[in-house]
Amino acid sequence: QGQPVEPGGGSVQAGGSLTLSCKVSDYTLRACGMGWFRQAPGKERELVASISADGTVDFIDAVKGRFNISKDRVPDSRLHLQMNSLKTEDTAVYYCALDCSGTMKIVPWDEGTQVTVSP
């Protein structure tokens, strides 16, 4: 269904931008919902953004207007999370997720990508 998340995390100062990408199969891109979870230290994992098979997007209030989720097929099938105007509270481990059967689940091969935002 996919492949590990490509390097895209890292450390930035508040106000900066980062983009995360997740390579998936062409079938997954067309037929499944996809999303990004994150988990900050001491907090529960939360679904930050999602995109349905037909392209409908949704975000938690904390990232609306700052994050964008998208998918494309050129040059290969990928899910992206564009993160702008990053805040220190965005610091977390981010995970790529798929919903091909009614439940959004982190892809089993994704160990997570650390995003650290400093003041």
Side-chain angles (χ1 to χ4, degrees):
Q1 289 182 312
Q3 295 184 15
V5 175
E6 303 250 326
S11 298
V12 294
Q13 288 190 316
S17 298
L18 286 172
T19 298
L20 306 181
S21 294
C22 180
K23 191 174 186 302
V24 297
S25 69
D26 187 62
Y27 169 81
T28 298
L29 197 76
R30 291 183 287 108
C32 300
M34 295 182 284
W36 293 92
F37 282 93
R38 72 181 180 187
Q39 186 164 20
K43 295 187 177 181
E44 293 188 356
R45 189 171 294 168
E46 59 181 350
L47 180 62
V48 175
S50 63
I51 183 168
S52 66
D54 67 2
T56 302
V57 301
D58 193 25
F59 304 90
I60 58 172
D61 288 344
V63 306
K64 281 182 179 177
R66 300 188 297 118
F67 287 16
N68 186 42
I69 187 170
S70 63
K71 52 184 179 177
D72 61 48
R73 300 174 65 184
V74 178
D76 50 22
S77 297
R78 292 178 184 268
L79 172 70
H80 306 286
L81 183 68
Q82 174 70 42
M83 303 181 290
N84 301 314
S85 302
L86 283 162
K87 302 178 180 181
T88 56
E89 51 263 44
D90 295 320
T91 295
V93 179
Y94 286 72
Y95 302 87
C96 178
L98 304 179
D99 176 10
C100 301
S101 58
T103 303
M104 190 71 75
K105 297 180 181 178
I106 293 172
V107 297
W109 54 84
D110 183 5
E111 297 180 350
T113 300
Q114 178 68 48
V115 172
T116 302
V117 184
S118 58

